Structure formats: C-alpha cells, structure tokens
Amino acid sequence: MTATIAAITAIVSVLLVVTGLVEWAALAGGFVPVRLTGTALGVPPTGIPNALTPLTATLIHGGFAHLALNLVVLCFCGPRVERALGGGGMALLYVLGAYAAAAAQYGTDPASAQPMIGASGAIAAVIGAYAILFAERRPKGFGPLSGHILHVLWLAAAWIAIQLLTGFAGMGGMNIAIGAHVGGFVVGLVLARPLLRWRYRQA
C-alpha cells in the first residue's frame, strides 16, 4: 500500500510539474478552505467536489523538492507502519490523515483562498503512528513529561521544522500549512493503537 500511494503521488505530481500545470491543478484539486463557507468570491469553481479535495490535494506538489521530501519520509516510515497495521489500516490512516489535515487547516483559517496542496498532512499521520508504534531510543523524561511523550514531541517538531525550512528556501513556492501538519500528526497518534488492535482483534 505504501508503495502504491508513493507511486501514484509521484506520477501525478511529476506530470503536473513537467507540464507546468501545478498552479492550475492547485486551484482545481487543492483544498481551498473558503470554498466550504459558500462565500468563495473570486475563487474559480472546480469540477472536483469539495469533499474530495483533501485527497486530490495530496497528489499535487509545488515542485520536485516538495515531492522528494514527502516521498522520502513516507518511504521511511510507511513500510514499518504498514507492517504493523496492514495494507487496509495504512490506507485508512493515510486517508483520515488527509481529511484531518484539511479540517485543521480550515479551522485555523476558514476564510483562506490559498489552495493547500501536498501529501505532508497525510504523511504526518503516518509519522504520528510511527512515533507511537516504534518509539525506539527514547530520550530521558523531563519533569512531568515521560520519555515517550518527549520522543513524540521531538519527532513532530522535526517534521514541521523541515517543512518550514523547505518553504523558506523557496523550494516549490510552498505555503506551509502548519495547521494541516498538526491535524494529521494528531490523527496518527490517536489512531495507531486502535488500528493495531483492530487488525489483531481475532489473534
């Protein structure tokens, strides 16, 4: 499942970049919060239902650097998470992460007409699950925070920091959606163990 997601994302994103259609695709298939309010004045309509744009947005990247960063992280964390949760669990986690990312981005700025694109919100859910399921070499606890909690926080902070640095470097002209990253990551933290228990419910 991880390989399938990565391959589809790569093929669509590369085609959009090399054909120069990224901006068009961002407006057509990106998640635009203001479209949900019914007051999207000046935002061109699209044939893609708003309910599907959190998913179509994951297939659109601002450039090769944006795509490569996301795929490297997905291909590092994804296979281990998939071995634990199974292909179905991995797919469900990814999809719910994409929708959680869109919901969080809408919550932070519902009037925004800026399209949210990229798979980083969905991948953040995979990172959250990875942090819960494979928290190896945990740091020592600090005050009321356990080593496990610190490990999760460090991983989340590192992921967001990498995205910010990439955006500041001007790679792909990205507009970094912090709310989306946080939303996806939280879903991964929350769903990792329930999905694991569901897979082995008859064991």
Side-chain angles (χ1 to χ4, degrees), residues 141-166:
F142 180 78
L145 299 178
S146 67
H148 183 72
I149 295 298
L150 284 177
H151 176 84
V152 170
L153 292 176
W154 275 117
L155 192 56
W159 171 238
I160 293 174
I162 291 171
Q163 293 286 327
L164 284 172
L165 289 173
T166 304

Side-chain angles (χ1 to χ4, degrees), residues 167-191:
F168 290 149
M171 295 180 179
M174 290 184 293
N175 180 37
I176 305 301
I178 299 300
H181 291 80
V182 173
F185 190 80
V186 169
V187 162
L189 294 178
V190 171
L191 292 183

